[in-house]
Amino acid sequence: MTKPATIRDVARRAGVSSATASRALNNSPLVNHDTKRRIVAVAEELAFAPSLSARRLSLGKTQTITVVVSFLTRPQAAERLRGIDAALADSEFDLNIYNVETVEKRDQYFRTLPLRQRTDGLLVVSLPPPGHNLSRLERSDVPIVFIDALENTANLPRVLGDDVAGGELATQHLLDLGHRRIGYVGDAFDNPFGFTSSRDRFDGFERALASAGIEVGEQDVALGAHGRYEARDLAARMLSHPDRPTAIFASSDTQALGVLAAAQDLGLHVPVDLSVIGYDDIEACDFVGLTTVRQHLFESGRQGADLLMAEIAERSATPQAVVLQPSIIQRRTTAPRKEVPHQD
Amino acid sequence: MTKPATIRDVARRAGVSSATASRALNNSPLVNHDTKRRIVAVAEELAFAPSLSARRLSLGKTQTITVVVSFLTRPQAAERLRGIDAALADSEFDLNIYNVETVEKRDQYFRTLPLRQRTDGLLVVSLPPPGHNLSRLERSDVPIVFIDALENTANLPRVLGDDVAGGELATQHLLDLGHRRIGYVGDAFDNPFGFTSSRDRFDGFERALASAGIEVGEQDVALGAHGRYEARDLAARMLSHPDRPTAIFASSDTQALGVLAAAQDLGLHVPVDLSVIGYDDIEACDFVGLTTVRQHLFESGRQGADLLMAEIAERSATPQAVVLQPSIIQRRTTAPRKEVPHQD
DNA sequence: ACTATCGTTGCAAGCGGTTACATGAAAGCG
DNA sequence: CGCTTTCATGTAACCGCTTGCAACGATAGT
């Protein structure tokens, strides 16, 4: 209806200047206790709310943190976002969100978002920047923190899970159960976004096997597009071979669920005939009983946001890299290898 | 490093006034084609990016849409968010997000967020406003659109699924399969947030049964806290009775999964001994094979955002209520009632 | 030749806050 | 009592952009 009250309205009504009103409302010590009370009362009465734009312009800060996240709907992303929100909830910062599901959007956002005129800080979640942007981002005048991206390639602050260690952990879990032939089902290493988790987890996989003296057979590695159905088909091919692995490590829970479906189609009993382990620990794992590798999703969001706020407060010379260690969550899809007549 | 370029820098360098520069960069027709080209070139050269705060202050708009969402991590919420993002992606609006998981946060946000000084429009997702705020919200000077909340109680624009119809649909599906004793497992009708979906779905449930001439037995209704484990316990009690229902309608997929777990614990085969239907169609349904009622989550987000932008452009006198109709997704947990010796 | 019109451009006043600096009153002090 | 300090407040500039209005030269109309 009517124009909202400005600070000058408050000042006039309280019989002071706008400067004093501003000071009073910002808890400056430079104002008398009684006049402050009066001003606060008037502000209340007029339902005064400061214009954020004016405030920001005047302060030269946006008081805004921008989050760029890939595939918002993936359970991992939502959980990380929650961590970020939790860290920011009681701060002065507003949270701006941009979702990326195409390479075009990614490039657009990396071009237009990291600007002091737009935001005080940028949080990039699960989205490696294109290589040609790296040096520009490193020199950016707005602080940028990466979550779940950007291994050791760049000199930028980041918090990430140790995918290699996670892959090793998963594989070691299967080795400990006596498995010797272990398959890997994961995302193709090459993808338009440059996601590296599948490759890294595979590296961990290989490393664990290597230190157990096992070489990875080519027929035990199946890579394809991300998705449950794709994984089911890959696994079906791998498992229908008579000489098949006794366990499979899938590079994500989604894909592990596909592997389970394939096993069921082929009449293989999990975990008796086949052990399956996934990665991420999404909610579905719990009701399917899927053994998996848990990442600290919420924590990664929270710590990323904290790191960013620290950078905003004072830019650090040497960017910090926080690494969160994954852990095994054992459920009902992994078991000791079935005894077979001929031993090796 | 150095201060970012302002529009005056651009203007000076291009040999024009800041007014002309502004007009040129905003595609005003009031500027000569050649000078415009020159200005644009200089802007490019100086990597000029307008200060959003200054722009907003000057325009008197925040160019920001604020979303308040309850339980960000629930799959439904994330999917709706994606719809909102899609609608906004090519608009001028930035997206501000606030997550609510406690009543305190809800009240805080309803108090401080719907202000013209903060946002151009408010999108409230799956969060009924506390009753004492309603009249204030109806008179709010910033447009508010509700998604998945606020049935017909208030005179505010909204887009929602028809939960009563959904409940009826689910129940009718079971009736069509020959079931006569149908149980209901859902959220307690009273809850701190005032969520009504469980009650509404139950209303549909009752209505379908009533028009089939069936009365709902008290022992066939189990209400409790939201969650899979809680639902499992409720269902276990209901099903361990010798005189038990042959089908169960759960008010959410999460709870339906709990019902499935209970059935399994009791050695009941689904769908032979028991049919189960859920609600929402979350991702997990697909890999469990759960029959369910699908809502248009993405659509609800998109349409809500569109509605809000329309309201921002021009406030409509009579708030629109968009209702999205749910539909049955049949999978493998519902089947015709098993033939029994004694017929009724 | 004079004026009305049109296309371009500049001037300057906002938008609504914050804050450096000036000011004035009261208090402290030798 | 005069001087410095301290505390509280006001004045006015500024943040960077937009835009109503005035101005001005060129063109057209009579």
Side-chain angles (χ1 to χ4, degrees), chain A residues 202-214:
Chain A
F202 180 77
D203 285 350
F205 170 75
E206 261 191 322
R207 185 185 300 178
L209 290 179
S211 58
I214 299 173

Side-chain angles (χ1 to χ4, degrees), chain B residues 163-199:
Chain B
D163 280 330
V164 178
E168 211 169 340
L169 216 54
T171 312
Q172 191 59 50
H173 171 73
L174 296 174
L175 287 169
D176 290 346
L177 290 170
H179 296 280
R180 287 296 169 267
R181 276 286 300 283
I182 304 178
Y184 181 85
V185 173
D187 299 332
F189 294 160
D190 282 335
N191 62 74
F193 289 103
F195 294 139
T196 59
S197 59
S198 177
R199 154 164 283 145

Side-chain angles (χ1 to χ4, degrees), chain A residues 37-66:
Chain A
R37 272 230 305 249
R38 185 156 35 95
I39 292 169
V40 169
V42 172
E44 190 91 11
E45 182 188 347
L46 297 183
F48 167 75
S51 151
L52 287 192
S53 307
R55 184 153 216 278
R56 288 168 175 169
L57 173 59
S58 180
L59 291 174
K61 300 177 183 176
T62 65
Q63 295 182 123
T64 289
I65 282 180
T66 300

